C-alpha cells in the first residue's frame, strides 16, 4: 500500500555524495570504526526534558550522545558520522471515548512509534513498517502494567513517539559491498529509549502510575581485535564487530518488577571451560539489563523533579 498523496522518493534511499577532498588516500587517515571508550558497565550520557510540546497533555524529549571515531578530529561528512538517539514523545489524554465505542471499565491505551524519514541512513517511508509496529506492541506491553487504568473508565490515552535519529544496526563501513546482513540490533536501544521517554511524558501528563518505568539494554558483544566476548551495558551496534545476543527490559525499581522483556540472539551454548560470553546465562543478561534500567531511572527521576520544581516556582 502506497501513499498517493505524496511524491515518494526511491525505495532504496540515497546518500549524500562524497567529494574528492574528503577521500583519504592514506590508509592511516581513513575513517575508522568508532570504538567503545566507556567501561562495560557505564552508560552513555543522557539528556531528558519534559514539557517540550505545550499543546499535548504531556511530552518529553530524550537524547543520547553519539559515539566518536578514533580520528574524529579529521573533517567528515554527516552521512559518515555515527548516529546517536533522539526521541520525542507526546501524550494525548485521558479523554472520553467516542459515543459508538463499547464500554470499557479501564483506560484504553494506544501507542504509535514512527521513524522520521531522515532518522536512519536508509530513508524510511511515510507509512509504518513491521519493525515500527513491533516497537509499538512492545511499548504498549511495557506501559500497560504501569498505568492505573481503573481510575479512567470510558477513556483513552494515546502515546505517540517520533524517532528523530535512530541507532544504526551496524557500522556503515561494514556494508560497503552490500553483502553483509545485520540484525536489527539498533531496535533494542531504540525501544529502551522509547520506554524511558514515554514514562517521562506520561508523568508529565499527570496520569497516575504505580511507578515510573525505565528501559535498559545489555548485550554480549565480540571485540574488534580478537574473538573475546564481553557483556556490556547500553551497547552501540556501530562500536562492535559483532553482537551475539541482547536483552531489553522495562523495569519498575520501586516494585522490583519487569513489565516487558525481549531477548534476541544466541547465548548459553558455549564451553564452560573457556572464558567466553557464550557461557553466560539469560538470567545474567537480564540482570545486567536491569542495571542499565536503573541508570536510566536516575536520569528520569531527576528530570521529573526539575519539572516539578519549575511548576512550583510558577505558582
Amino acid at each position: 500500500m502506497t501513499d498517493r498523496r505524496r511524491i515518494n522518493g526511491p525505495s532504496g534511499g540515497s546518500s549524500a555524495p562524497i567529494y574528492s577532498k574528503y577521500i583519504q588516500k592514506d590508509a592511516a587517515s581513513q575513517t575508522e570504526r568508532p570504538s567503545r571508550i566507556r567501561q562495560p558497565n557505564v552508560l552513555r550520557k543522557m539528556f531528558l526534558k519534559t514539557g517540550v510540546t505545550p499543546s499535548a497533555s504531556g511530552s518529553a524529549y530524550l537524547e543520547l550522545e553519539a559515539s566518536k571515531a578514533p580520528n574524529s578530529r579529521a573533517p567528515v561528512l554527516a552521512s559518515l558520522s555515527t548516529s546517536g538517539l533522539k526521541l520525542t514523545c507526546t501524550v494525548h489524554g485521558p479523554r472520553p471515548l467516542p459515543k459508538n465505542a463499547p464500554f470499557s471499565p479501564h483506560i484504553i491505551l494506544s501507542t504509535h512509534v514512527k521513524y522520521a524519514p531522515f532518522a536512519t541512513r536508509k530513508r524510511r517511508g511515510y507509512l509504518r513498517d513491521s519493525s515500527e509496529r513491533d516497537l509499538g506492541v512492545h511499548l504498549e506491553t511495557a506501559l500497560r502494567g504501569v498505568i492505573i487504568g481503573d481510575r479512567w473508565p470510558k477513556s483513552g490515552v494515546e502515546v505517540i513517539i517520533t524517532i528523530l535519529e535512530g541507532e544504526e544496526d551496524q557500522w556503515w563501513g561494514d556494508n560497503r559491498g552490500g553483502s553483509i546482513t545485520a540484525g536489527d540490533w539498533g531496535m533494542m536501544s531504540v525501544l529502551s529509549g522509547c520506554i524511558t521517554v514515554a514514562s517521562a511524558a506520561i508523568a508529565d501528563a499527570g496520569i497516575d502510575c504505580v511507578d515510573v518505568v525505565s528501559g535498559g539494554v545489555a548485550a554480549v558483544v565480540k571485540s574488534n581485535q580478537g574473538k573475546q566476548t564481553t557483556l556490556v551495558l547500553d551497547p552501540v551496534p556501530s562500536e562492535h564487530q559483532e553482537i551475539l545476543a541482547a536483552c531489553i527490559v522495562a523495569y519498575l525499581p520501586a516494585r522490583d518488577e519487569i513489565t516487558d522483556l525481549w531477548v534476541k540472539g544466541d547465548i548459553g551454548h558455549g564451553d564452560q571451560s573457556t572464558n567466553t560470553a557464550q557461557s553466560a546465562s539469560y538470567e545474567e543478561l537480564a540482570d545486567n539489563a536491569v542495571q542499565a534500567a536503573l541508570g536510566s531511572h536516575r536520569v528520569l527521576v531527576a528530570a521529573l523533579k526539575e519539572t516539578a520544581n519549575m511548576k512550583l516556582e510558577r505558582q
Side-chain angles (χ1 to χ4, degrees):
M1 181 178 179
T2 58
D3 190 354
R4 299 182 179 179
R5 295 187 179 182
R6 295 184 176 92
I7 301 177
N8 298 325
S11 58
S14 58
S15 301
I18 302 176
Y19 297 95
S20 59
K21 67 177 181 178
Y22 290 105
I23 300 178
Q24 305 291 342
K25 302 299 182 182
D26 187 6
S29 301
Q30 293 286 348
T31 303
E32 299 179 3
R33 175 193 299 274
S35 59
R36 183 185 177 102
I37 59 177
R38 297 175 285 125
Q39 296 296 325
N41 58 346
V42 177
L43 307 180
R44 285 177 289 177
K45 294 181 180 179
M46 179 187 299
F47 173 79
L48 181 62
K49 184 176 179 59
T50 59
V52 295
T53 307
S55 59
S57 302
S59 59
Y61 172 79
L62 182 141
E63 180 176 350
L64 295 178
E65 66 173 350
S67 57
K68 297 181 180 179
N71 57 352
S72 58
R73 292 178 294 180
V76 294
L77 295 177
S79 59
L80 302 183
S81 61
T82 57
S83 62
L85 184 63
K86 299 178 182 178
L87 307 173
T88 178
C89 177
T90 57
V91 175
H92 303 276
R95 52 191 177 187
L97 294 175
K99 295 182 179 179
N100 56 355
F103 173 79
S104 176
H106 50 78
I107 194 171
I108 301 298
L109 173 66
S110 61
T111 58
H112 185 278
V113 180
K114 183 70 182 72
Y115 279 89
F118 49 83
T120 56
R121 288 182 57 83
K122 184 178 180 181
R123 186 174 178 84
R124 295 277 180 165
Y126 291 98
L127 301 178
R128 290 202 303 170
D129 55 10
S130 59
S131 62
E132 293 167 337
R133 289 191 291 268
D134 290 342
L135 289 175
V137 171
H138 280 283
L139 179 62
E140 182 179 354
T141 304
L143 299 179
R144 189 174 297 277
V146 179
I147 299 177
I148 306 177
D150 298 338
R151 298 187 179 180
W152 289 278
K154 300 184 295 182
S155 302
V157 60
E158 297 179 1
V159 179
I160 302 174
I161 294 181
T162 303
I163 304 171
L164 302 177
E165 187 173 346
E167 294 279 8
E168 299 291 345
D169 296 329
Q170 62 181 358
W171 183 51
W172 65 272
D174 290 339
N175 200 19
R176 293 176 182 176
S179 58
I180 298 180
T181 302
D184 296 330
W185 301 113
M187 290 179 56
M188 311 293 280
S189 298
V190 170
L191 178 59
S192 174
C194 288
I195 294 173
T196 304
V197 72
S199 178
I202 289 175
D204 184 55
I207 300 176
D208 294 341
C209 301
V210 295
D211 191 11
V212 286
V213 62
S214 59
V217 59
V220 178
V221 301
K222 183 178 293 186
S223 61
N224 300 336
Q225 291 79 11
K227 297 183 179 180
Q228 184 179 4
T229 55
T230 311
L231 185 60
V232 299
L233 306 184
D234 191 15
V236 180
S238 59
E239 293 180 348
H240 306 286
Q241 184 70 30
E242 184 181 358
I243 297 180
L244 303 178
C247 175
I248 162 71
V249 298
Y251 184 64
L252 300 175
R255 301 170 65 93
D256 194 19
E257 295 179 0
I258 294 177
T259 58
D260 186 42
L261 174 66
W262 182 19
V263 181
K264 181 179 180 181
D266 297 329
I267 190 173
H269 304 289
D271 187 4
Q272 298 290 340
S273 61
T274 60
N275 186 17
T276 62
Q278 300 286 18
S279 60
S281 61
Y282 285 102
E283 290 79 5
E284 185 178 359
L285 188 61
D287 290 341
N288 282 268
V290 169
Q291 296 300 321
L294 289 175
S296 302
H297 181 265
R298 299 188 190 97
V299 180
L300 176 59
V301 171
L304 295 177
K305 287 183 178 179
E306 181 181 359
T307 304
N309 293 333
M310 293 177 58
K311 293 181 178 179
L312 294 176
E313 291 177 358
R314 293 176 184 176
Q315 295 178 357

